[in-house]
Amino acid sequence: MAGLEAAAAGGVRRPGRQSAAGGLAWLVAGRSSNIALSIVTTAILSRFLTPQQFGQLVPVMIVISLSMAVFDGTFGVGIIRSPKLDRERVRIALGNCLLVAVILAGALVATSPLIERFFHFDRLAELIAAATSVILLRAVFVIACAVLQRERRYKAISLASLVAAPCGSLLVSVPLAISGCGAWSLLLGTIAMSAVETAIVSRKARLPWRVTISRAGLSELGATEGFFALNQLLNWAALSSTSLVAGHFLGLAQLGYYSRSWRLLDIAVSATSGPMQRVLVPIFAGLQDGGSAARATFERALAVAVPLFAVAGTFSCLHAEAIVRALLGKQWLAAIPLVQILFSALVARCGYKVSESVLVGFGRARSAALRQFVYLVALASGALIAVRWQSAGVALSTSIAVWLFYALSLGQAVRLLHASLSRTIMIHARAAALAGALLLFHVLAAVAVARLSYWSGEMVMAIADALFLGFVLFTAPSWLVDSVLRALIRQRGRAI
């Protein structure tokens, strides 16, 4: 829903302070609950499904995410940005979106044998054919969700997600996985979740039963929302390219290891930088005149986010084996180096949410398309070069591409706001020093727990690392911990 969020930031009407605070509270509650559920279901499903079975579903999810990129970047954004929204316009948007969904679903069914040959996965065409039902459901969902988001009815959106996610995962996917249904358990759970979520938001948005198909509406949409759609499609292509390469050249098991490792990173990103971007985009949208206010806000956000993500990424790398054992199980131990490689780019993966919030809030859609294209080229070409080193090589090339995208985005934000380059560099240098200090402490402390059992030693080291970080953040000199971050930590500490 990135396109919808971006459009909402510059939307047609601004809510009052109370409604904005209430909407944010519901969004945070819904996101937090879904992340907790995702962690639980990941831990359960990974113990009943093999890496090969998870790999089977990756091409299917690529297909589903393509439909969301098309619908979200065009029809959803069109509704939110429409200067006047009446029932007839909703009918036209819903009719045109369903028309595109039917065409896309038919094209995917027709080409599913070719997709199956590309990935060399037996019976993949059957999974893709079944997944087209999700595409039709998502066409309705995007329109309903856009209407609710335009009206700032975030509570309805969050409630739909809170109800649908357990229905799909706990009531469908988990029982089917335990009974031995393999990849079908994941797909049927996705279908069930989409059906429940679509039904709820459609009812809340009061979508019309009668729809209208309008060629003029499609032409107008392409002219007004073209760059939003292009950005969504380029982002989809970029994020899908590494899985396409891994699936074609490496097979099901390696694709399964890579996809689950990326999923763990995605959970961390969703828990932290996702809500952060929802807050920052409207803030920067309200500061489009630039000046010192926007510059100061940007530098403060970086001063807090970069060091915290640096130590969180380092902590995750140091305890990657425990994370994999706890969340995925023993059959996934081969994913440990992939998790370490991907989490080494946590600063870039989460940090670019700050710089992109500036660029989206200031309406730089054309430059966003260029950055997404560079990101796509870097990910795809890097994966093709690194595929000879199996999934670990693909993970490494992905991390390098993420750092490149962050550098491009950060550089443009600094230039746009005329922010201090030296302060930006110092923020990152301090973050690197904090991460290095944690690494050195961990190596030295590991000697003391070498004779303990694995889990006992791991728990002692995790607690020791956390205590060390807390001590450093509270007591370190200003050259190591930025004054903005120190003030925030002390404020939170007094509140607790």
Side-chain angles (χ1 to χ4, degrees):
M1 303 293 290
L4 298 185
E5 292 164 12
V12 289
R13 68 178 181 88
R14 296 184 182 276
R17 184 175 299 177
Q18 184 176 1
S19 65
L24 179 60
W26 274 104
L27 287 174
V28 171
R31 178 68 66 91
S32 301
S33 300
N34 284 337
I35 288 170
L37 179 64
S38 180
I39 292 173
V40 172
T41 54
T42 295
I44 297 173
L45 292 172
S46 296
R47 284 161 171 78
F48 290 96
L49 298 176
T50 66
Q52 290 86 346
Q53 289 169 331
F54 272 105
Q56 277 184 302
L57 197 69
V58 172
V60 179
M61 298 310 297
I62 290 175
V63 166
I64 293 174
S65 62
L66 169 61
S67 66
M68 286 301 295
V70 173
F71 303 152
D72 186 12
T74 51
F75 300 100
V77 170
I79 285 180
I80 290 180
R81 293 173 61 86
S82 175
K84 182 179 179 181
L85 187 66
D86 52 29
R87 199 159 182 81
E88 181 60 26
R89 193 174 186 91
V90 175
R91 284 195 185 97
I92 292 174
L94 182 58
N96 288 341
C97 193
L98 282 171
L99 174 63
V100 174
V102 170
I103 294 173
L104 181 59
L108 289 171
V109 170
T111 58
S112 59
L114 297 177
I115 300 175
E116 181 177 299
R117 270 188 232 123
F118 176 83
F119 282 100
H120 314 296
F121 298 170
D122 292 335
R123 310 190 72 175
L124 177 59
E126 298 175 10
L127 290 169
I128 293 176
T132 56
S133 60
V134 179
I135 294 175
L136 299 175
L137 290 167
R138 285 290 149 178
V140 179
F141 171 81
V142 163
I143 301 301
C145 197
V147 172
L148 293 174
Q149 194 165 354
R150 176 189 170 95
E151 297 172 356
R152 305 300 194 263
R153 294 168 63 189
Y154 297 111
K155 178 180 178 179
I157 299 173
S158 296
L159 283 176
S161 179
L162 288 172
V163 173
C167 289
S169 57
L170 296 181
L171 299 183
V172 178
S173 289
V174 170
L176 290 177
I178 294 174
S179 63
C181 293
W184 280 99
S185 63
L186 300 172
L187 178 57
L188 293 175
T190 301
I191 294 173
M193 183 186 71
S194 298
V196 173
E197 194 171 23
T198 301
I200 294 174
V201 295
S202 298
R203 177 180 171 82
K204 294 292 184 180
R206 299 184 181 88
L207 289 187
W209 289 98
R210 184 172 63 85
V211 300
T212 302
I213 297 175
S214 169
R215 181 183 299 178
L218 285 172
S219 301
E220 177 186 355
L221 197 66
T224 57
E225 312 301 340
F227 275 106
F228 281 102
L230 178 60
N231 286 333
Q232 291 289 88
L233 287 173
L234 286 172
N235 184 256
W236 167 83
L239 295 179
S240 302
S241 61
T242 52
S243 294
L244 290 172
V245 172
H248 179 70
F249 291 102
L250 301 180
L252 283 172
Q254 293 292 315
L255 179 58
Y257 289 131
Y258 177 79
S259 66
R260 285 295 90 188
S261 300
W262 179 265
R263 177 58 183 156
L264 292 179
L265 177 65
D266 195 49
I267 290 175
V269 172
S270 299
T272 53
S273 62
M276 179 182 69
Q277 188 175 33
R278 286 178 182 247
V279 173
L280 289 177
V281 167
I283 289 176
F284 286 116
L287 300 172
Q288 293 188 49
D289 56 344
S292 60
R295 182 165 54 251
T297 301
F298 170 70
E299 291 179 352
R300 284 197 301 269
L302 277 183
V304 172
V306 172
L308 293 181
F309 289 136
V311 296
T314 304
F315 186 92
S316 300
C317 290
L318 294 173
H319 299 277
E321 182 177 352
I323 293 172
V324 171
R325 286 180 179 272
L327 295 184
L328 302 181
K330 292 182 178 180
Q331 66 173 330
W332 293 86
L333 294 181
I336 293 172
L338 280 72
V339 172
Q340 292 174 319
I341 292 170
L342 291 174
F343 270 89
S344 68
L346 185 65
V347 170
R349 183 77 173 85
C350 295
Y352 78 68
K353 299 290 186 179
V354 177
S355 54
E356 285 296 297
S357 295
V358 174
L359 301 173
V360 171
F362 277 55
R364 297 299 193 268
R366 293 177 183 269
S367 62
L370 178 60
R371 288 193 306 278
Q372 290 291 347
F373 179 74
V374 174
Y375 191 34
L376 166 62
V377 172
L379 281 169
S381 60
L384 286 170
I385 294 171
V387 74
R388 69 183 66 182
W389 294 287
Q390 301 294 303
S391 54
V394 176
L396 179 59
S397 67
T398 299
S399 294
I400 293 173
V402 170
W403 277 107
L404 173 62
F405 181 79
Y406 176 52
L408 291 173
S409 178
L410 182 65
Q412 184 165 0
V414 168
R415 289 192 299 272
L416 179 65
L417 298 176
H418 303 289
S420 170
L421 180 60
S422 61
R423 176 159 166 72
T424 302
I425 293 174
M426 279 303 302
I427 288 172
H428 289 78
R430 290 190 182 103
L434 279 173
L438 174 60
L439 176 60
L440 179 60
F441 171 82
H442 182 90
V443 171
L444 295 176
V447 178
V449 300
R451 295 188 177 183
L452 296 178
S453 64
Y454 174 76
W455 281 112
S456 297
E458 183 60 37
M459 291 180 64
V460 170
M461 285 303 305
I463 294 172
D465 287 345
L467 291 175
F468 173 77
L469 281 175
F471 175 78
V472 170
L473 291 174
F474 270 101
T475 63
S478 58
W479 60 264
L480 184 59
V481 178
D482 192 275
S483 59
V484 174
L485 178 58
R486 184 195 301 279
L488 177 64
I489 292 173
R490 290 180 175 174
Q491 179 184 359
R492 296 299 182 187
R494 286 193 297 267
I496 295 174

